[in-house]
Structure formats: C-alpha cells, structure tokens
Amino acid sequence: MTANQFGAIGQLSRSVADIEAAEAWWRDVLGMPHLYTYGPLAFFDCGGVRLMLSAEAGPSQANVIYFRVSDIAASHAELTARGVVFVDPPHMIHRHADGLEEWMAFFSDNEGRPLAIMSQVRPD
C-alpha cells in the first residue's frame, strides 16, 4: 500500500453565478443536505461526497475532483517523487468550529485540468 492511496472522492466543485440563489436551489429544490456556507462557498452532502458550490471560481476551477488521502504530507511527497507538479504544498483551507482542519494541495492532470488531494486533520 502506498502513502498516496486515494480513498473515495471527497469533494466535487461546481462554479455558480449567484451563491445565495444556488444554495437555496440545491437545498430547497433538490433537497440536498446543506453542510455549511463560508463566504462565496456553499457545501452539501451528496451521500458522503461533499459538493462545493463556488461563486469565486474562474473557468479553470469550475470543476475539480478532490481525492481523500489519509496522510496529505506523505501523499504529496510520493506524488511529487512520481513527477506530479503541485501548485503549492499542502495547506489548511478551513478550520471548522470544532477545530477540525481541512487540508488540500492542488495539481493538474495530464491535460491541465485541476485535481486535488484532501485530508481532514484533527490537531492535537
């Protein structure tokens, strides 16, 4: 087993023009369980896969696949050794009220489309 073994898809993103209208539609019309909203981002639970709606994404960030990994630092190191070029090193994206941290690192596939690895970290 390698350090970067991908788990389930953790998150998918979709760009939207109006975050408030999109949040209401996905929550009230589709009935998706709303997790939280953070600025121009709204998050929903889609059967264990998190959907992020983003009013700030540009065309290159319109749709991103985020893969869960158990150890983001080890996964980053292993993928880098295999030739993956990351936009930046793993970094904390968000800290929830209960202290749980969301860490991510972004890279591109062989055709230049965005991908990411993600991990939830509970600080000691």
Side-chain angles (χ1 to χ4, degrees), residues 72-85:
I72 197 164
S75 295
H76 176 265
E78 185 171 324
L79 289 169
T80 299
R82 290 184 184 184
V84 172
V85 177

Side-chain angles (χ1 to χ4, degrees), residues 84-97:
V84 172
V85 177
F86 283 85
V87 174
D88 46 28
H91 56 284
M92 184 178 62
I93 298 290
H94 179 70
R95 180 176 291 120
H96 296 275

